[in-house]
Amino acid sequence: MTSHLTRADLSVAAPIVEFAEASLADSGRDVDAFWAGASAIVHDLVPRNAELLATRDELQKRIDEFHRANPGLPDRDAYRALLTEIGYLVPVPSAVSVTTENVDPEIATMAGPQLVVPLLNARFAINAANARWGSLYDALYGTDAIDQTGELAPGREFNYTRAAAVVARGRRFLDEIAPLTEGSHTDATGYRVDADGLIVQTEGGDRRLATPAAFVGFTGETDAPTGILLVHNGLHAEIVIDRAGRIGTTDAAGVQDIILESAITTILDLEDSVAAVDGEDKALGYRNWRGFMDGTIAESVTKNGRTFTRVPAADRTYRTPTSAASAGGDGGEITLPGRAVLFVRNVGHLMRTPAVLDRNGDEVFEGIVDAIMTALGSLPELEGPNRGSNSRTGSMYIVKPKMHGPDEVAFAAELFGRVEELLGLPPKTMKIGIMDEERRTSANLAASIAAAADRVVFINTGFLDRTGDEIHTSLHAGPFLPKAAIKQQPFMKAYEDRNVAIGLASGLDGRAQIGKGMWAEPDLMHDMLEKKIAHPLSGASTAWVPSPTAGTLHALHYHQVDPFAVRATLPPVVEEALDALLVPPLAADGDLTDEVVAIEIDNNVQSILGYVVRWVDQGIGVSKVPDIHDVGLMEDRATLRISSQLLANWLTHGVITEEQIDDSLRRLAVVVDEQNAGDPNYEKLAFTEGEKPGIAYTAARRLIVEGAAQPSGYTEPLLHGLRREKKAEQA
């Protein structure tokens, strides 16, 4: 059990104290003054945080009463009147003008993929930070983005036929982003640089780029470059030339690879993708964040029998085209960041943590602790020797999830201001990303943005948490549709469209990201290439991807579509969209047949078991969980929330029974055990008659049968307690 130390009038877990005081020593700050200031923040803001949660409960109580008295789809006027009367809907600001300053271009003016990765896993986090640049050839060869059947099947040995298909796709890409005045990059036999720019040699003669400005740099010599740097729609691509390489030796122009600027931003997560339940877990996350900020993070990795150390990638330097015209070849350089610009996702306002206790011995809200400690961890990058290695504008970027409406956003902004005062940071250093994933925030998005108009750098949408909250908010209105059908309902389109339109109307263009949600099927890259182009087509400047490889492939979409240009064509916000947003996706007569219900129970139960067993037993917050058809899906707590809330809704309305849930849990525990048979750390879920079920199995069942009683349908209260119980058992 983690020990606690007294600091000011707080009781703080020893690993948190160690992290904080080492950080304070490095930055030259007074330890006693820090803890006194931290205590003041805690004792001033904890009661306010509790009041916000009480408001959530009161609003939910009033909505539940309305639906019990008026089951089914609510009357529009009566429902709007209720939501307005109780303060769920607030007046729309007459005008919102975002004024956020000192925002890095990757967030304000560039468009590209975004990764989200658990901060407690240093190896994953370093990989994600380094996913700023990725091999197009590897991404195409190693996934189903290129057909994997017949002569194109990857196989155990290197398949040169498949490689040729990859190269052909790469040449088409070059023709799309940097077309020639005549002919095609497919015809290239070499690349050179002269005083007038890039020369593409072909058998038909030398060719130039149709848009000369697309060529922005090179490495090597002018007559034998080893790299050609191009730019298109604000993103870079490098043609790697190596005539001795496995691909380059077979390529007429010696092209070994095409490296794409890919995940230009990454969110290092302390929330839904981690299992951080105590001071030890939290301190690990804070140390890893500081490691990125001071440049010391490193992780030893063993792969294919070889051990090496993984560290954040270095910046990339190229000679500019003007250097080819200078007598000494030293006409200038261009340096591009080697790593994504990093956000850190703090937790929301709900959970308290045993890592810090107040003067009364009560647990402090975790979000308050996160704000203080992650800002403390940012000091080496904001003012120390590593200054500017993440943000070249002196900002710290925090994604704040699960906020319900403008008052909660305003509270987060106030908290950030207090932390800036505590650490002596310039006002507005700490920027906020507002996750539009709770219904009250969606319905009041303009007011929520206005509440942090001088800090906001990010809004986004996400199907899973948003639908989980939709179900819980309208739990008593009636039975909901199955998950796949919910996604097609009018409220979801209204949600997605309003987010972009309100963001633009509020002045986010040129100051902040507008994002879209996750592609959850990391093995289905062909489908992703077909479908995820919808995100830049919506005007969103970023969207989440499940892996660095997916980031490189999704980057292709931002070359095909410039979302900043799309924005000029989008319609404005209309009042009717709010009406559509407030219509819960209830099932109609005949929708929930016995077959549909049986399939949906098993799909959701399998998902819950497959995720919870790793969370509770091993502390794994995100992983690729095989579904009932053995298709790997990236799952985190948002997936768990929607699955458990749907089944809780059906239990509430008698669509299913606890007996059906128990039958499904028992049958599918065996399936999940089989799917995890290769994991030496796995503990079985299945149990025989007379045996006591394990903690993970109990967690899965409770999340369903007690789901209706969970605050906003969140899974954290149950999961955290049961994970701590499991850790005690394992100690």
Side-chain angles (χ1 to χ4, degrees):
M1 185 174 178
T2 304
S3 62
H4 283 64
L5 302 172
T6 299
R7 291 296 184 270
D9 53 359
L10 301 173
S11 180
V12 186
I16 302 288
V17 171
E18 181 182 353
F19 161 80
E21 296 187 355
S23 301
L24 293 165
D26 287 346
S27 69
R29 283 169 168 78
D30 183 81
V31 171
D32 291 339
F34 169 80
W35 288 116
S39 173
I41 292 173
V42 164
H43 291 102
D44 287 349
L45 296 188
V46 161
R48 300 261 309 283
N49 198 145
E51 289 171 4
L52 292 170
L53 298 184
T55 297
R56 290 186 192 179
D57 293 342
E58 178 60 27
L59 292 175
Q60 187 61 58
K61 177 184 175 184
R62 295 291 301 275
I63 291 170
D64 288 346
E65 290 171 352
F66 175 88
H67 285 308
R68 287 190 178 104
N70 304 277
L73 289 174
D75 174 80
R76 186 196 68 172
D77 293 339
Y79 191 47
R80 286 282 293 268
L82 168 80
L83 297 181
T84 302
E85 174 196 336
I86 65 177
Y88 185 97
L89 289 178
V90 303
V92 179
S94 57
V96 180
S97 180
V98 168
T99 59
T100 313
E101 297 179 346
N102 301 321
V103 184
D104 286 274
E106 290 89 342
I107 295 169
T109 58
M110 295 175 66
Q114 187 168 70
L115 281 166
V116 186
V117 65
L119 184 49
L120 271 62
N121 188 314
R123 179 168 66 89
F124 286 4
I126 294 170
N127 286 350
N130 291 349
R132 173 76 177 245
W133 299 88
S135 165
L136 178 61
Y137 281 12
D138 286 352
L140 292 171
Y141 187 92
T143 71
D144 69 346
I146 297 285
D147 183 23
Q148 294 181 314
T149 62
E151 63 179 3
L152 295 177
R156 295 182 61 185
E157 302 296 328
F158 188 76
N159 183 339
Y160 281 93
T161 301
R162 182 172 182 80
V166 168
V167 169
R169 177 65 185 89
R171 288 300 206 276
R172 291 197 301 275
F173 169 73
L174 293 177
D175 286 338
E176 292 164 6
I177 71 163
L180 307 182
T181 53
E182 181 182 349
S184 164
H185 285 273
T186 302
D187 307 323
T189 58
Y191 292 87
R192 301 198 322 272
V193 178
D194 68 7
D196 295 321
L198 182 64
I199 301 169
V200 182
Q201 301 164 253
T202 73
E203 291 186 359
D206 290 348
R207 305 287 184 251
R208 297 283 185 177
L209 298 183
T211 305
F215 170 55
V216 293
F218 67 100
T219 57
E221 302 303 319
T222 56
D223 58 350
T226 55
I228 301 295
L229 184 67
L230 305 170
V231 66
H232 178 255
N233 285 354
L235 292 178
H236 295 87
E238 180 183 348
I239 304 171
V240 179
I241 300 171
D242 179 5
R243 292 188 179 275
R246 178 157 61 177
I247 301 301
T249 193
T250 67
D251 188 279
V255 175
Q256 171 68 14
D257 202 348
I258 300 171
I259 304 296
L260 300 190
E261 193 171 19
S262 301
I264 57 176
T265 58
T266 284
I267 298 171
L268 301 182
D269 190 23
L270 286 170
E271 196 232 4
D272 266 359
S273 70
V274 301
V277 301
D278 53 28
E280 182 181 34
D281 294 337
K282 297 298 295 186
L284 173 59
Y286 299 149
R287 288 195 303 271
N288 284 348
W289 175 249
R290 184 179 64 191
F292 278 102
M293 296 299 100
D294 66 13
T296 62
I297 194 162
E299 187 75 359
S300 179
V301 178
T302 300
K303 195 172 183 179
N304 299 324
R306 184 172 67 93
T307 299
F308 56 94
T309 300
R310 183 157 285 159
V311 298
D315 291 344
R316 305 167 74 91
T317 300
Y318 303 85
R319 296 171 62 184
T320 63
T322 57
S323 69
S326 65
D330 58 354
E333 291 182 340
I334 177 175
T335 298
L336 300 176
R339 304 160 305 284
V341 171
L342 303 178
F343 290 78
V344 61
R345 182 160 66 168
N346 289 186
V347 302
H349 296 320
L350 174 68
M351 293 299 293
R352 294 178 183 255
T353 175
V356 180
L357 309 179
D358 68 13
R359 63 170 65 108
N360 299 316
D362 295 326
E363 294 183 358
V364 169
F365 283 106
E366 188 177 356
I368 295 175
V369 178
D370 271 2
I372 295 171
M373 295 300 163
T374 56
L376 185 58
S378 292
L379 292 179
E381 198 276 332
L382 292 172
E383 60 183 29
N386 211 40
R387 184 173 184 172
S389 63
N390 185 53
S391 169
R392 298 178 299 285
T393 61
S395 292
M396 177 193 177
Y397 300 110
I398 300 176
V399 173
K400 191 69 179 176
K402 296 181 173 57
M403 295 187 290
H404 294 239
D407 288 348
E408 297 196 10
V409 176
F411 177 78
E414 180 182 351
L415 168 62
F416 290 2
R418 290 290 300 271
V419 174
E420 288 163 349
E421 293 175 7
L422 171 67
L423 298 177
L425 295 173
K428 313 302 187 294
T429 295
M430 298 169 67
K431 307 301 195 289
I432 189 168
I434 301 171
M435 296 194 68
D436 176 11
E437 57 185 355
E438 307 298 328
R439 191 173 187 251
R440 185 151 55 110
T441 297
S442 300
N444 301 287
L445 184 57
S448 296
I449 293 171
D454 52 4
R455 292 185 186 271
V456 63
V457 290
F458 165 99
I459 62 171
N460 80 335
T461 57
F463 167 72
L464 295 171
D465 262 315
R466 179 63 183 80
T467 304
D469 191 56
E470 184 75 24
I471 296 171
H472 190 83
T473 301
S474 304
L475 187 84
H476 295 285
F480 272 63
L481 287 163
K483 286 189 300 189
I486 288 175
K487 202 167 190 175
Q488 309 307 317
Q489 296 306 297
F491 92 98
M492 185 55 61
K493 178 172 172 31
Y495 163 60
E496 296 284 359
D497 291 349
R498 287 180 86 253
N499 178 272
V500 175
I502 292 173
L504 295 177
S506 301
L508 294 187
D509 201 12
R511 294 184 182 270
Q513 287 180 324
I514 298 177
K516 294 296 179 187
M518 178 68 78
W519 179 264
E521 299 163 312
D523 298 329
L524 302 182
M525 292 294 97
H526 176 272
D527 289 352
M528 188 194 78
L529 285 172
E530 291 289 319
K531 297 175 182 178
K532 202 168 175 67
I533 195 171
H535 287 158
L537 282 170
S538 74
S541 56
T542 193
W544 288 4
V545 288
S547 68
T549 295
T552 296
L553 293 173
H554 184 42
L556 296 173
H557 292 141
Y558 297 91
H559 288 287
Q560 295 172 270
V561 177
D562 178 1
F564 296 107
V566 169
R567 290 174 177 181
T569 69
L570 297 176
V573 184
V574 295
E575 177 65 19
E576 291 77 15
L578 179 57
D579 290 332
L581 184 80
L582 296 175
V583 177
L586 302 182
D589 290 344
D591 286 336
L592 301 182
T593 64
D594 290 346
E595 181 182 11
V596 166
V597 169
I599 292 171
E600 192 72 8
I601 294 174
D602 281 358
N603 280 337
N604 284 281
V605 164
Q606 196 278 341
S607 172
I608 292 168
L609 285 169
Y611 178 74
V612 166
V613 69
R614 296 178 183 179
W615 207 102
V616 170
D617 289 352
Q618 299 183 50
I620 297 174
V622 63
S623 58
K624 187 167 69 172
V625 178
D627 71 4
I628 202 165
H629 305 294
D630 281 326
V631 175
L633 301 177
M634 291 300 294
E635 297 199 358
D636 66 6
R637 277 203 307 259
T639 319
L640 184 61
R641 185 185 185 192
I642 184 177
S643 296
S644 58
Q645 283 300 293
L646 179 63
L647 295 182
N649 169 263
W650 284 6
L651 275 172
T652 298
H653 294 282
V655 176
I656 58 177
T657 64
E658 284 194 34
E659 289 73 20
Q660 287 175 285
I661 292 296
D662 286 331
D663 173 70
S664 184
L665 285 166
R666 294 294 292 267
R667 286 185 293 103
L668 291 168
V670 176
V671 173
V672 173
D673 288 347
E674 291 171 350
Q675 290 174 329
N676 287 276
D679 181 356
N681 298 315
Y682 182 79
E683 298 182 39
K684 287 186 175 182
L685 287 162
F687 57 96
T688 59
E689 196 68 36
E691 282 187 311
K692 181 182 178 182
I695 296 174
Y697 184 98
T698 300
R701 186 180 191 279
R702 289 183 63 189
L703 285 163
I704 299 168
V705 300
E706 299 175 28
Q710 299 309 301
S712 302
Y714 291 131
T715 61
E716 291 94 313
L718 283 173
L719 282 179
H720 279 224
L722 291 165
R723 171 64 183 155
R724 286 196 288 268
E725 183 180 335
K726 186 65 179 182
K727 289 182 76 171
E729 178 185 279
Q730 293 169 334

